[in-house]
Amino acid sequence: MFKKNTKHQQPALISAVSDLPEKQRLRLEQSWAGTFYQEFFSRINEETFSVLYSDLPSRPNVPINVLVGLDALKAGFGWSDAELYDHFCYDLQVRFGLGYDRLGDGDFEIRTLYYFRQRLSQYNVKTGENLLEKAFEQITDAQIMDLKVRTGMQRMDSTQIASNIVSASRMQLLVAALQRVERILSEADQTRLAETFAPYTKDSAGHYTCRVKGQEAMQAHLQEIGKTIHALLLDLKSSYAAESAYQVLERIFADNFHLLESGPKAKENKELTSDCLQSVDDLEATYRTKGTGHYKGYVANLTETCDPQNPLQLITKVQTASNNTDDSQLLVEALPNLKQRTELETIYTDGGHGGPAADAVLQEQQVEHIQTAIRGLTPNPEKLHLADFTIKFNEDSQPVKVTCPQGQTETVHSSSQKKAFVAHFTAEVCQICPLADKCLARPGSRNPRHHLRFTQADARASERRRHSQEQRKDGRNLRAAVEASVRSLKHPFPAGKLPVRGKFRVACLLIGSAAVSNVRRIQRYLQAKSKAETVLPVAPGAEKCTQEQAGGSFLAFVKTTLAALSGLARPNLYAMGC
């Protein structure tokens, strides 16, 4: 049964926190723990998670804000579950950040956290909604509003993330899948098929692969494994088709073999697709080659504010997808949500986030897109590019006017086949133009006017390139700093490899890491603000406060403390200015 946790709002009269010396108590308030409590824990809307619990009278749940806070701290500090539980039991900073003043309060078994994650995962499978992501966005929106962070300008970048899987070869995966199927068989079927499985169950999949030497031997073994798997799939389908191990074997067979009339034939390596199975333990991980690197796992896409006038920047959205997902698709998926939640007007990205699909959504959401680079070949500097022409679009994102670099403006018309657009420039003006030799507009064979032809995609790509060129001229690269944010997101996880598997759990850890990263930024901002306020110049004649002012400050302090102790508010010495 769902029950909201409000006990943290009423501090204990005698506690581990109150027993601390004043100096240490103030330091605790001003540490990350105090900021985590104020800016994250206290903002968690527990009602969001009520759908995970029964409405019938039953035992109340462990406080949801504590469970959510623990998952965020695990990600933010890179702790294992055992380390997380030890910190919860014995670390005063962690307990203070979770609203506990005394050691021993709120005790629960670690498996309660596992059950909570299981419920989150099941709800995600059922509805497609990640409640942790929803909570993160609600908390971030509240932080943005209270701290008056401008959200009109934001930047975005993606990075490769690996889940906790072993890098295995094709043969190793095939043998591992066979071994998994053998384990789920009944004793009768294990006995009946013992001879079939014998070559593959004597040792581990890795040792089996190591004993195969040479390319020819590898192909021969792959062919033999393919025949074995195909025979087993036909034999076991009636009894084990609903088993996950059988379904994994079925998928890996389809990924690696062609089924011909003569039987299975192993695919060439170049025929394997990026979404073929990479691990029998993580069915959603994919393969991607980016530059000179080869990656197995997922891609994380991070968005944060970047207005130069902001005193601090906050991460506004974290996305997780299979790593063969194009960056432009991630931009398309993020834009409606960002536009709804924030006042987004301009988005800064690298070259990978641009494309026709993104152009359409950017136009629909009325967001300007500025890229630091553009996909494709670099234009010849000796020739004019379409980006050198200014194109005006109508409300339907159709080009209506085009202006050449020399200022001649003409109306854009649809081509004869309605597949492109053309603008006709006056021949007399073009003939005396100093840029005539390198201009894209060329005279026609029958019509002396100079014609500029382009497609809708060309027009949008040229607009992105023109914005990028203008940004370089300004000498500002507002996107560059997002690289540091990406590093902070991955920093708790050595080599960018997370200790979990599956897209949902990977997404949850990245969201938690982003939440803690925001908390750290807010803490640094508040500390800098407090320090600046303490060193402000004192007005002449005000070197010493009067007795009345001093008494008033002390009286205010006493009143606030008594109100907190009576249960009206949690003490916040940092906010009192101590």
Side-chain angles (χ1 to χ4, degrees), residues 377-445:
L377 297 175
T378 303
N380 185 351
E382 301 298 325
K383 298 288 185 180
L384 289 181
H385 189 270
L386 189 59
D388 298 314
F389 293 76
T390 303
I391 302 175
K392 183 179 180 181
F393 297 85
N394 61 14
E395 295 180 354
D396 298 326
S397 191
Q398 299 293 315
V400 292
K401 287 186 181 297
V402 60
T403 302
C404 76
Q406 290 297 307
Q408 185 181 177
T409 301
E410 295 294 340
T411 302
V412 175
H413 306 277
S414 296
S415 63
S416 57
Q417 297 181 353
K418 307 295 183 183
K419 294 183 179 180
F421 300 91
V422 60
H424 308 290
F425 291 95
T426 305
E428 291 77 6
V429 177
C430 291
Q431 288 172 357
I432 61 174
C433 177
L435 303 176
D437 293 338
K438 57 181 181 180
C439 186
L440 290 177
R442 309 307 301 172
S445 56

Side-chain angles (χ1 to χ4, degrees), residues 229-238 246:
I229 293 177
H230 183 238
L232 287 171
L233 289 174
L234 295 176
D235 187 358
L236 303 174
K237 185 173 182 178
S238 59
Y246 178 92

Side-chain angles (χ1 to χ4, degrees), residues 73-327:
L73 291 175
K74 170 187 171 66
F77 289 94
W79 292 330
S80 66
D81 284 336
E83 292 172 325
L84 175 68
Y85 192 64
D86 284 345
H87 280 286
F88 172 72
C89 293
Y90 311 117
D91 190 330
L92 185 58
Q93 274 190 301
V94 169
R95 296 188 62 80
F96 186 79
L98 298 174
Y100 291 118
D101 298 293
R102 297 183 299 191
L103 295 174
D105 284 355
D107 180 51
F108 63 88
E109 293 295 328
I110 187 64
R111 64 174 176 269
T112 303
L113 185 59
Y114 302 155
Y115 294 152
F116 179 66
R117 292 171 183 166
Q118 183 181 33
R119 293 186 182 194
L120 288 171
S121 178
Q122 291 173 345
Y123 186 81
N124 176 256
V125 171
K126 181 179 178 181
T127 66
E129 185 177 25
N130 188 336
L131 294 181
L132 288 181
E133 180 182 15
K134 185 176 180 180
F136 168 77
E137 293 178 356
Q138 171 259 319
I139 292 168
T140 303
D141 293 346
Q143 292 169 346
I144 287 171
M145 182 176 294
D146 287 353
L147 297 171
K148 298 179 174 56
V149 177
R150 296 175 178 84
T151 58
M153 303 166 67
Q154 299 187 42
R155 54 195 171 208
M156 179 181 289
D157 195 23
S158 63
T159 185
Q160 296 296 314
I161 294 289
S163 63
N164 191 23
I165 60 175
V166 174
S167 182
S169 64
R170 290 174 63 183
M171 184 176 293
Q172 189 173 344
L173 286 174
L174 290 165
V175 174
L178 278 169
Q179 292 176 346
R180 297 289 177 92
V181 168
E182 195 269 343
R183 294 172 197 164
I184 68 168
L185 300 182
S186 64
E187 290 186 9
D189 285 335
Q190 285 181 348
T191 302
R192 179 172 62 86
L193 297 171
E195 186 176 346
T196 302
F197 281 104
Y200 311 109
T201 56
K202 291 180 180 179
D203 213 334
S204 68
H207 286 163
Y208 179 95
T209 305
C210 288
R211 289 195 295 268
V212 180
K213 306 295 183 181
Q215 188 62 32
E216 293 184 2
M218 186 74 70
Q219 286 299 118
H221 275 268
L222 282 176
Q223 200 66 33
E224 189 63 31
I225 292 172
K227 292 179 182 179
T228 302
I229 293 177
H230 183 238
L232 287 171
L233 289 174
L234 295 176
D235 187 358
L236 303 174
K237 185 173 182 178
S238 59
S239 302
Y240 299 96
E243 297 288 341
S244 60
Y246 178 92
Q247 294 169 1
V248 169
L249 188 67
E250 195 172 36
R251 175 183 167 183
I252 202 171
F253 176 80
D255 287 343
N256 288 272
F257 297 93
H258 294 295
L259 187 56
L260 308 177
E261 292 183 1
S262 57
K265 180 183 177 182
K267 294 181 179 179
E268 300 291 335
N269 287 342
K270 62 182 179 181
E271 295 182 275
L272 300 180
T273 59
S274 63
D275 59 350
C276 66
L277 192 70
Q278 302 298 314
S279 170
V280 293
D281 295 306
D282 191 340
L283 308 184
E284 297 169 292
T286 52
Y287 181 85
R288 181 174 181 178
T289 298
K290 188 174 182 180
T292 58
H294 305 283
Y295 304 94
K296 295 182 179 181
Y298 301 91
V299 62
N301 195 58
L302 179 146
T303 310
E304 68 174 359
T305 60
C306 65
D307 194 313
Q309 298 184 41
N310 283 337
L312 79 162
Q313 311 295 353
L314 293 178
I315 298 171
T316 55
K317 190 170 184 64
V318 180
Q319 299 165 266
T320 305
S322 300
N323 70 358
N324 59 357
T325 305
D326 191 74
D327 287 351

Side-chain angles (χ1 to χ4, degrees), residues 10 42 44 51 336 407 532 569:
Q10 183 175 351
S42 297
I44 297 173
V51 294

